[in-house]
Amino acid sequence: MAELIIHTEEIKNNIKTLSQFFKEHHIEWSLITKVFSGDIDFLKNILTKDTLEHIGSVGDSRLTSLKNLKKVNPDIRTIYIKPPAIMYADEVVEYADISLNSSYKTIKALDTAAQKQNIIHKIIIMIELGELREGVQRDDLIDFYEKTFSLSNIEVIGLGSNLGCMYGVEPNYDKLLQLSLYKELISAKFNKELKYVSGGSSITLPLITQNIIPKNINHFRIGEAAFFGTSPLENKQFLNLSTNTFEFHANIIELDEKGLVPDGIISDANIGHTADYNEEDVSEQSYKAILDFGMLDVDRHDIETNDKVIKFVGITSDMTVINIGTNKTPEGKTKYHVGDTICFKPSYMGVARLLNSKFIDKKFI
């Protein structure tokens, strides 16, 4: 069976390196684990005692994941990182110590749920800064905060924004300065000190090294940099973080020399995806290998291999076909055999999908 290899020590070292980096810049941070979809084995292997001491809190976008976080360690400080659905207000308050919000109606529901559970629920209010995802409109911000401050079981601990996740609006000094100024405005207007200005994610990290982060930006939500060692702004390695954290190994279950062009009438009945081919190559032959994973497991665009000879041919629900050319090494020896594995490097979305597949083994090393 194909398997996802997870290098736990590499990830844990990334977390420790990021923790030291943020400490030097007087910034708090939350580890965002949504790529792992609440996988219990992952949480147990990564969020060990020696790792948690480097993290202020752990965030996720799924309630089931937050439940699993609390199962692994009830003392973990958790953050629900997307606006909650009203119908789950009770569970959000139970499993999330903090939630990010942009709807007053939802916050009222959280207040009611917190009253029933006799606790104070902390929230960060998100502001729309151009990404057109979640966030209160800037013109409505003062009225929004005024209403929210009046709720008895809600404590507003900060404001935040989300950039780069949907349209890819780049975070820059001007965008983050706007967020910083809104914090000053709200504090002055209501005589309340907001502890957090949560303006950063992995895409914002390079701005810290360039020393162009407004001083009020004091909280980051980090997933990709911790788990993949990169910042998505330019998809480059950040600091000296490890980028060798995941491998995807697929098994060759058939290997034979076959034509480059399919033989027969092509209908619309296929359920897979294929690469383009040239009808002029009808007489050409090449070695094709069938691998033991398919579309149900991962999108082919989310994995890549260092073997530049390998070309994608087609993928169905449970199998993938690749072209390996002559199947010879430069020395003329046979390169691959049935039973060999092909190693791929998965992207962020690749890991997320592979971890969600019940047909892929997960191996922590």
Side-chain angles (χ1 to χ4, degrees):
M1 183 181 290
E3 64 180 3
L4 178 67
I5 310 296
I6 303 164
H7 296 274
T8 56
E9 289 305 314
E10 300 289 330
I11 294 172
K12 291 168 76 171
N13 285 335
N14 281 355
I15 290 171
K16 293 171 185 176
T17 299
L18 283 167
S19 176
Q20 182 61 35
F21 173 76
F22 284 124
K23 185 177 180 180
E24 291 171 359
H25 290 86
H26 310 290
I27 294 172
E28 293 190 39
W29 73 295
S30 300
L31 179 69
I32 306 303
T33 60
K34 64 180 182 179
V35 67
F36 292 97
S37 301
D39 185 274
I40 286 285
D41 289 332
F42 157 75
L43 298 175
K44 288 180 177 178
N45 277 277
I46 301 297
L47 299 181
T48 54
K49 183 179 179 181
D50 62 316
T51 302
L52 286 172
E53 66 185 21
H54 296 281
I55 305 167
S57 54
V58 181
D60 211 293
S61 60
R62 308 286 185 184
L63 272 172
T64 51
S65 300
L66 294 182
K67 291 178 185 178
N68 287 342
L69 281 166
K70 289 294 189 181
K71 284 181 184 177
V72 170
N73 187 334
D75 296 326
I76 292 178
R77 191 178 185 222
T78 53
I79 301 182
Y80 191 59
I81 62 168
K82 71 178 180 183
I86 288 177
M87 65 183 296
Y88 297 120
D90 289 337
E91 291 176 275
V92 171
V93 168
E94 182 176 359
Y95 295 107
D97 299 299
I98 304 166
S99 61
L100 309 186
N101 287 270
S102 58
S103 165
Y104 178 69
K105 187 175 181 181
T106 301
I107 296 171
K108 280 198 70 176
L110 294 172
D111 179 58
T112 300
Q115 289 178 43
K116 288 190 292 184
Q117 297 180 38
N118 195 31
I119 59 176
I120 301 297
H121 182 66
K122 297 178 173 63
I123 69 169
I124 292 174
I125 295 176
M126 302 299 282
I127 302 174
E128 167 56 51
L129 289 182
E131 181 71 2
L132 302 181
R133 211 176 77 163
E134 78 272 26
V136 178
Q137 295 295 326
R138 283 165 274 189
D139 290 345
D140 301 329
L141 195 60
I142 297 300
D143 289 342
F144 193 96
Y145 267 87
E146 185 170 21
K147 290 188 295 184
T148 305
F149 280 139
S150 68
L151 298 175
S152 62
N153 287 65
I154 294 292
E155 180 185 355
V156 183
I157 62 170
L159 73 166
S161 69
N162 207 327
L163 295 168
C165 285
M166 191 168 75
Y167 282 100
V169 174
E170 290 188 10
N172 55 34
Y173 180 81
D174 289 340
K175 291 285 186 184
L176 296 176
L177 182 60
Q178 289 178 44
L179 190 62
S180 177
L181 291 174
Y182 281 119
K183 184 262 186 187
E184 298 289 351
L185 176 63
I186 292 164
S187 296
K189 174 74 175 177
F190 299 105
N191 194 28
K192 287 182 179 288
E193 186 60 34
L194 299 177
K195 183 176 181 180
Y196 295 116
V197 183
S198 185
S201 62
S202 293
I203 198 173
T204 323
L205 285 171
L207 275 65
I208 301 178
T209 59
Q210 297 165 26
N211 199 29
I212 51 176
I213 289 282
K215 65 177 182 179
N216 278 339
I217 307 298
N218 62 0
H219 181 258
F220 271 58
R221 310 179 302 274
I222 301 295
E224 183 167 338
F227 299 121
F228 296 86
T230 56
S231 169
L233 185 61
E234 296 179 336
N235 200 30
K236 292 182 178 179
Q237 181 185 24
F238 183 69
L239 298 178
N240 61 339
L241 299 178
S242 173
T243 58
N244 299 314
T245 48
F246 299 94
E247 299 172 30
F248 174 50
H249 293 180
N251 300 291
I252 298 177
I253 56 177
E254 180 190 296
L255 178 58
D256 208 347
E257 191 174 23
K258 299 183 180 182
L260 292 180
V261 178
D263 181 14
I265 299 172
I266 306 299
S267 72
D268 293 329
N270 66 308
I271 61 170
H273 298 296
T274 58
D276 294 334
Y277 57 87
N278 191 337
E279 292 283 1
E280 296 176 0
D281 294 330
V282 66
S283 62
E284 298 294 322
Q285 299 279 312
S286 182
Y287 277 89
K288 307 287 177 51
I290 299 179
L291 308 179
D292 60 340
F293 72 93
M295 291 187 296
L296 293 179
D297 307 305
V298 68
D299 189 310
R300 70 176 183 89
H301 297 292
D302 290 328
I303 55 174
E304 61 179 20
T305 177
N306 287 329
D307 190 338
K308 301 304 180 184
V309 173
I310 292 176
K311 305 295 182 186
F312 167 80
V313 174
I315 187 169
T316 62
S317 63
D318 55 358
M319 288 187 287
T320 297
V321 181
I322 58 174
N323 184 338
I324 54 176
T326 63
N327 194 30
K328 297 291 184 182
T329 67
E331 295 76 29
K333 296 181 179 180
T334 300
K335 192 172 185 179
Y336 294 110
H337 303 82
V338 170
D340 287 349
T341 60
I342 304 291
C343 181
F344 295 93
K345 186 171 184 177
S347 68
Y348 182 98
M349 285 307 302
V351 169
R353 288 177 170 133
L354 288 165
L355 274 168
N356 268 299
S357 174
K358 61 183 178 182
F359 309 111
I360 301 296
D361 278 346
K362 290 82 178 176
K363 184 177 179 181
F364 295 87
I365 61 175

